[in-house]
Amino acid sequence: MSQASNIESVLVENRVFPPDARAQQGARISGMAAYDALCAEAAKDPDAFWARLARENLSWTRPFTRTLDESNAPFYQWFGDGELNASANCLDKHMGTPVEHKTAIVFEADDGSVTTISYRELLTRVSQFANALKAEGIQKGDRVIVYMPMTIEGVIAMQACARIGATHSVVFGGFSAKALQERIIDAGAVAVITANYQLRGGKELPLKAIVDDGIAMGGCESIKSVLVYERTLSDWKRVEGRDKTFTEALNASEGQDECVPEPVGAEHPLFILYTSGSTGKPKGVQHATGGYLLWAKLTMDWTFDLRPDDVFWCTADIGWITGHTYVAYGPLAAGATQVIFEGIPTFPHAGRFWQMIEKHKVSIFYTAPTAIRSLIKAAESDEKVHPKNWDLSSLRILGSVGEPINPEAWMWYHRNIGHEKCPIVDTFWQTETGGHVITPLPGATPLVPGSCTLPLPGIAAAIVDETGKDLPNGAGGMLVIKRPWPSMIRTIWNDPERFKKSYFPEEMGGTIYLAGDGAVRSEDRGYFRITGRIDDVLNVSGHRLGTMEIESALVAKTDLVAEAAVVGRPDDVTGEAVCAFVVLKRGRPTSDEESMKLAAELRAWVAKEIGPIAKPKDIRFGENLPKTRSGKIMRRLLRSIAKGEAITQDTSTLENPAILEQLGKAY
Ligand code: WT7
């Protein structure tokens, strides 16, 4: 069968893949009847349901007596009078159990070398580092920026913050000095934990130097210390009186290897994680300790059906929410052995993921559609990196996250990685939801490629119109969650008004969570399919980018840019691609050569302002942007141009129709 007809058959078939006996047997939620029973328990008495799970899954230093407090909706509180510590729930809890000497982390470095650490050893390392943070004067409630590579030390930094009750804010190592500065200021952070360099794809990339640049941009007086993990032997510049190496920081606390975990209230902010919204300014999504941790643990059990001998591998970076919930917290809270990978999927070759699955006998593999699609391309053009070259028989469950997985990629994943034996859990969630909210369960849910299927028990997901009215199956609308759930976003740091406005629109009554995605439920099964963001947020390789953020970055290049508009367009590998329309101060470039040079300059600029992930793939130059009579940029028209579609919109109001032709060419 040719590729084209193959794809077509997948698109129209709507095939259903029920869990086989192997997946269903012994599963924590085995069969749809078990799923339905949990949903019924949650619906009948939500408080009793969540209270039971919170007691069973977490250790509390002070038991809670209240479950959900809705008195200040939408600022919901969960388990509000209870106290616990997140790090104790990930580490101390396992001491004296069979997990104590189990491997917690198998770390594979960029160069392929492997380090393992047991739960007992990890507890000691986290405690030592927590003591070092205290010796720096860092206290409960302080905010600490973590700007670290994917390493055991990255997880230790996060866990150590949690242990002393400091609120961490991890910034992805691909973000720029400017992005770092903005986050330091907004969070009012007192310290930065970083590394001298990070190793990716055989290259040494600076981290510490970017921290210095960010702080030097000003407004970061709150930062009292910078702690530097020396990942490589290369030199880095030290700021006296402010910087310490990890070793020096540990020596300052005399390497004390016990640190009593600080009990915090369940609503205490465990972390702030910045993510893009529909304005230029990233939002500091604030999560609470109790509800978040409950969800991290629970979804390890529910969605991944975690068993004691599993080897779990989530490929996400700790700089994203997936790396928080399914690297730094969930696997540890659940006592799993997990793989952490420092490098990139294509180095030294595009078979690296498959090779690592074989080498570490990974049984649960969780990655993003964009990675799958790029590895399909690689495997199709080079036999040597095709997954068939490796023994993938250890795999039991596959997962997908970050964007809709197209049925073609789903089928390839199913056949070539899962060998038609592994359920694929297509997990829909967001930074704001803390963990999975709509996802198949591997031992229960019949799978339909491209659908995230059904909500987890207790998640009141629905599809509604602008007024909040329910829509029937088959009708596309807005995805909402009608009842609060434990791991939901608590507020936007420093901006409670924006929290209310973004997620709890008045037109819907002010208490229903608006996800920001469009979705539709299938007529037959009521399965959810996510159709994409309904706001000005793009999803590029599973990473969220605000169009306004990129526009602000472009117009900040004041010597060149007069005006800019950014839209997304579909892309085979990255899902969506950034497409920028730019009006230059000096007028349109007159040659291809000049256009290319200017495009390169603008890309480098955006990389510096935000980070390389935000670089526009296409840049189009016009002497103006298409606008309506009232001066509004015609974004729908721009989206058509970006896609290369025929223009069907009414363009009669355009002041200068010639610009349509000018914008026709992308650089
Ligand atoms: C947005 C959230 C969830 C952690 C990683 C991204 C999209 C995420 C899926 C999925 C369809 C998905 C949505 C969502 N998304 N997972 N399985 N199917 N779309 O977290 O950066 O907060 O982005 O990613 O558009 O709103 P995030």
Short mmCIF file of all heavy atoms in Angstrom, two decimals, residues 275 321-322 400-405 426-432 452 515 517 530 532-533 539 542-544, ligand 1:
data_model
loop_
_atom_site.label_atom_id
_atom_site.label_comp_id
_atom_site.label_asym_id
_atom_site.label_seq_id
_atom_site.Cartn_x
_atom_site.Cartn_y
_atom_site.Cartn_z
N THR A 275 4.08 29.77 31.94
CA THR A 275 3.65 29.24 30.66
C THR A 275 3.02 30.37 29.85
O THR A 275 2.65 31.41 30.42
CB THR A 275 2.67 28.06 30.84
OG1 THR A 275 2.45 27.45 29.56
CG2 THR A 275 1.34 28.50 31.41
N ILE A 321 5.88 21.22 32.48
CA ILE A 321 5.03 20.58 33.49
C ILE A 321 5.14 19.05 33.43
O ILE A 321 5.12 18.38 34.46
CB ILE A 321 3.54 21.04 33.36
CG1 ILE A 321 2.71 20.55 34.55
CG2 ILE A 321 2.92 20.54 32.06
CD1 ILE A 321 3.02 21.17 35.87
N THR A 322 5.30 18.50 32.23
CA THR A 322 5.40 17.03 32.14
C THR A 322 6.61 16.52 32.93
O THR A 322 6.54 15.49 33.59
CB THR A 322 5.49 16.58 30.66
OG1 THR A 322 4.46 17.25 29.94
CG2 THR A 322 5.28 15.08 30.54
N SER A 400 1.54 9.29 25.09
CA SER A 400 1.73 10.43 24.21
C SER A 400 1.22 11.67 24.94
O SER A 400 0.22 11.61 25.64
CB SER A 400 0.93 10.20 22.92
OG SER A 400 0.92 11.38 22.14
N VAL A 401 1.90 12.79 24.76
CA VAL A 401 1.50 14.01 25.46
C VAL A 401 1.97 15.26 24.76
O VAL A 401 3.01 15.26 24.11
CB VAL A 401 2.05 14.03 26.90
CG1 VAL A 401 3.57 13.98 26.92
CG2 VAL A 401 1.57 15.26 27.66
N GLY A 402 1.21 16.32 24.89
CA GLY A 402 1.67 17.64 24.49
C GLY A 402 0.87 18.24 23.35
O GLY A 402 0.80 19.45 23.21
N GLU A 403 0.29 17.42 22.51
CA GLU A 403 -0.48 17.91 21.37
C GLU A 403 -1.27 16.73 20.85
O GLU A 403 -0.99 15.58 21.20
CB GLU A 403 0.47 18.44 20.29
CG GLU A 403 1.49 17.39 19.92
CD GLU A 403 2.47 17.80 18.84
OE1 GLU A 403 2.01 18.34 17.83
OE2 GLU A 403 3.66 17.55 19.00
N PRO A 404 -2.24 17.00 19.99
CA PRO A 404 -2.98 15.87 19.43
C PRO A 404 -2.03 14.96 18.66
O PRO A 404 -1.14 15.45 17.96
CB PRO A 404 -3.97 16.54 18.48
CG PRO A 404 -4.03 17.97 18.89
CD PRO A 404 -2.70 18.30 19.49
N ILE A 405 -2.18 13.66 18.82
CA ILE A 405 -1.36 12.75 18.01
C ILE A 405 -2.19 12.34 16.78
O ILE A 405 -3.32 11.88 16.91
CB ILE A 405 -0.84 11.53 18.81
CG1 ILE A 405 -0.01 10.61 17.90
CG2 ILE A 405 -1.94 10.77 19.54
CD1 ILE A 405 0.83 9.58 18.66
N ASP A 426 -3.07 8.35 25.22
CA ASP A 426 -2.96 9.70 24.66
C ASP A 426 -3.50 10.64 25.73
O ASP A 426 -4.71 10.84 25.85
CB ASP A 426 -3.77 9.77 23.36
CG ASP A 426 -3.83 11.17 22.77
OD1 ASP A 426 -3.23 12.10 23.34
OD2 ASP A 426 -4.50 11.34 21.73
N THR A 427 -2.58 11.21 26.51
CA THR A 427 -2.97 11.94 27.72
C THR A 427 -3.17 13.41 27.42
O THR A 427 -2.23 14.11 27.06
CB THR A 427 -1.88 11.80 28.79
OG1 THR A 427 -0.65 12.34 28.27
CG2 THR A 427 -1.66 10.34 29.17
N PHE A 428 -4.37 13.89 27.58
CA PHE A 428 -4.63 15.32 27.43
C PHE A 428 -4.53 15.98 28.80
O PHE A 428 -5.17 15.54 29.77
CB PHE A 428 -6.01 15.60 26.85
CG PHE A 428 -6.34 17.07 26.97
CD1 PHE A 428 -5.86 17.96 26.03
CD2 PHE A 428 -7.03 17.56 28.07
CE1 PHE A 428 -6.10 19.33 26.16
CE2 PHE A 428 -7.26 18.93 28.21
CZ PHE A 428 -6.80 19.81 27.25
N TRP A 429 -3.75 17.01 28.89
CA TRP A 429 -3.69 17.85 30.10
C TRP A 429 -2.94 19.11 29.79
O TRP A 429 -2.61 19.36 28.63
CB TRP A 429 -3.13 17.09 31.29
CG TRP A 429 -1.74 16.53 31.15
CD1 TRP A 429 -1.33 15.56 30.28
CD2 TRP A 429 -0.59 16.88 31.91
NE1 TRP A 429 0.00 15.30 30.46
CE2 TRP A 429 0.49 16.09 31.46
CE3 TRP A 429 -0.35 17.78 32.96
CZ2 TRP A 429 1.77 16.19 32.00
CZ3 TRP A 429 0.93 17.88 33.50
CH2 TRP A 429 1.96 17.07 33.03
N GLN A 430 -2.69 19.91 30.81
CA GLN A 430 -2.08 21.23 30.62
C GLN A 430 -1.26 21.59 31.86
O GLN A 430 -1.48 21.01 32.92
CB GLN A 430 -3.17 22.30 30.49
CG GLN A 430 -4.26 21.99 29.52
CD GLN A 430 -5.37 23.02 29.59
OE1 GLN A 430 -6.07 23.12 30.60
NE2 GLN A 430 -5.54 23.79 28.54
N THR A 431 -0.41 22.58 31.71
CA THR A 431 0.34 23.08 32.86
C THR A 431 -0.64 23.35 34.01
O THR A 431 -0.38 23.04 35.16
CB THR A 431 1.08 24.38 32.48
OG1 THR A 431 1.90 24.12 31.33
CG2 THR A 431 1.95 24.89 33.62
N GLU A 432 -1.79 23.90 33.65
CA GLU A 432 -2.77 24.31 34.65
C GLU A 432 -3.48 23.14 35.34
O GLU A 432 -3.99 23.30 36.44
CB GLU A 432 -3.84 25.19 33.99
CG GLU A 432 -3.33 26.55 33.51
CD GLU A 432 -2.77 26.51 32.09
OE1 GLU A 432 -2.46 25.40 31.59
OE2 GLU A 432 -2.63 27.59 31.49
N CYS A 452 -8.18 11.32 22.84
CA CYS A 452 -7.71 11.13 24.23
C CYS A 452 -8.81 10.44 25.06
O CYS A 452 -8.67 10.30 26.27
CB CYS A 452 -7.24 12.45 24.83
SG CYS A 452 -8.45 13.77 24.71
N ALA A 515 -10.56 25.48 29.53
CA ALA A 515 -9.22 24.95 29.23
C ALA A 515 -8.48 25.77 28.18
O ALA A 515 -7.25 25.79 28.15
CB ALA A 515 -9.33 23.50 28.78
N ASP A 517 -8.94 25.08 24.96
CA ASP A 517 -8.89 24.21 23.78
C ASP A 517 -10.28 24.01 23.21
O ASP A 517 -11.27 24.00 23.94
CB ASP A 517 -8.34 22.82 24.17
CG ASP A 517 -6.84 22.83 24.30
OD1 ASP A 517 -6.16 22.93 23.27
OD2 ASP A 517 -6.34 22.75 25.44
N ILE A 530 -9.36 16.53 20.81
CA ILE A 530 -8.96 17.92 20.99
C ILE A 530 -8.66 18.50 19.62
O ILE A 530 -7.88 17.91 18.87
CB ILE A 530 -7.71 18.02 21.89
CG1 ILE A 530 -7.92 17.26 23.22
CG2 ILE A 530 -7.30 19.48 22.14
CD1 ILE A 530 -9.03 17.78 24.09
N GLY A 532 -7.55 21.74 19.15
CA GLY A 532 -6.51 22.78 19.18
C GLY A 532 -6.94 23.99 19.98
O GLY A 532 -8.10 24.14 20.35
N ARG A 533 -6.00 24.85 20.24
CA ARG A 533 -6.23 26.01 21.09
C ARG A 533 -7.24 26.96 20.44
O ARG A 533 -7.26 27.14 19.23
CB ARG A 533 -4.92 26.77 21.32
CG ARG A 533 -3.83 25.96 21.97
CD ARG A 533 -4.02 25.72 23.44
NE ARG A 533 -4.30 26.91 24.19
CZ ARG A 533 -4.32 26.94 25.53
NH1 ARG A 533 -4.06 25.84 26.23
NH2 ARG A 533 -4.59 28.04 26.18
N ASN A 539 1.12 25.73 19.62
CA ASN A 539 1.74 24.54 20.19
C ASN A 539 2.77 24.03 19.19
O ASN A 539 2.44 23.41 18.20
CB ASN A 539 0.65 23.50 20.46
CG ASN A 539 1.17 22.35 21.28
OD1 ASN A 539 2.32 21.95 21.13
ND2 ASN A 539 0.33 21.81 22.15
N GLY A 542 4.91 20.54 20.94
CA GLY A 542 4.41 20.30 22.29
C GLY A 542 4.75 21.41 23.27
O GLY A 542 4.49 21.30 24.45
N HIS A 543 5.34 22.49 22.78
CA HIS A 543 5.67 23.61 23.66
C HIS A 543 4.74 24.77 23.37
O HIS A 543 4.44 25.09 22.23
CB HIS A 543 7.12 24.06 23.47
CG HIS A 543 8.10 22.98 23.74
ND1 HIS A 543 7.95 22.12 24.80
CD2 HIS A 543 9.20 22.60 23.10
CE1 HIS A 543 8.94 21.26 24.79
NE2 HIS A 543 9.71 21.51 23.77
N ARG A 544 4.30 25.39 24.45
CA ARG A 544 3.34 26.45 24.32
C ARG A 544 4.01 27.78 24.08
O ARG A 544 4.91 28.16 24.82
CB ARG A 544 2.58 26.52 25.64
CG ARG A 544 1.12 26.43 25.48
CD ARG A 544 0.56 26.05 26.79
NE ARG A 544 -0.11 27.18 27.38
CZ ARG A 544 -0.85 27.05 28.47
NH1 ARG A 544 -0.96 25.88 29.06
NH2 ARG A 544 -1.45 28.09 28.97
C1 WT7 B 1 -1.82 22.30 25.74
C2 WT7 B 1 -1.16 22.39 27.08
C3 WT7 B 1 0.20 18.48 28.99
C4 WT7 B 1 1.60 18.67 29.23
C5 WT7 B 1 2.37 19.18 28.08
C6 WT7 B 1 1.85 20.47 27.49
C7 WT7 B 1 -2.17 20.59 24.17
C8 WT7 B 1 -1.55 18.57 25.53
C9 WT7 B 1 -2.58 16.99 24.47
C10 WT7 B 1 -3.16 15.80 23.93
C11 WT7 B 1 -4.24 17.13 22.34
C12 WT7 B 1 -2.88 18.21 23.85
C13 WT7 B 1 -3.48 21.33 24.43
C14 WT7 B 1 -3.26 21.92 25.80
N1 WT7 B 1 -2.22 19.18 24.53
N2 WT7 B 1 -1.76 17.26 25.50
N3 WT7 B 1 -2.92 14.60 24.46
N4 WT7 B 1 -3.99 15.93 22.87
N5 WT7 B 1 -3.71 18.28 22.79
O1 WT7 B 1 1.42 21.34 28.50
O2 WT7 B 1 2.42 23.45 27.68
O3 WT7 B 1 0.52 23.49 29.31
O4 WT7 B 1 0.16 22.81 26.93
O5 WT7 B 1 -1.19 21.26 24.98
O6 WT7 B 1 -3.63 22.33 23.48
O7 WT7 B 1 -4.07 23.03 26.08
P1 WT7 B 1 1.16 22.83 28.16
#
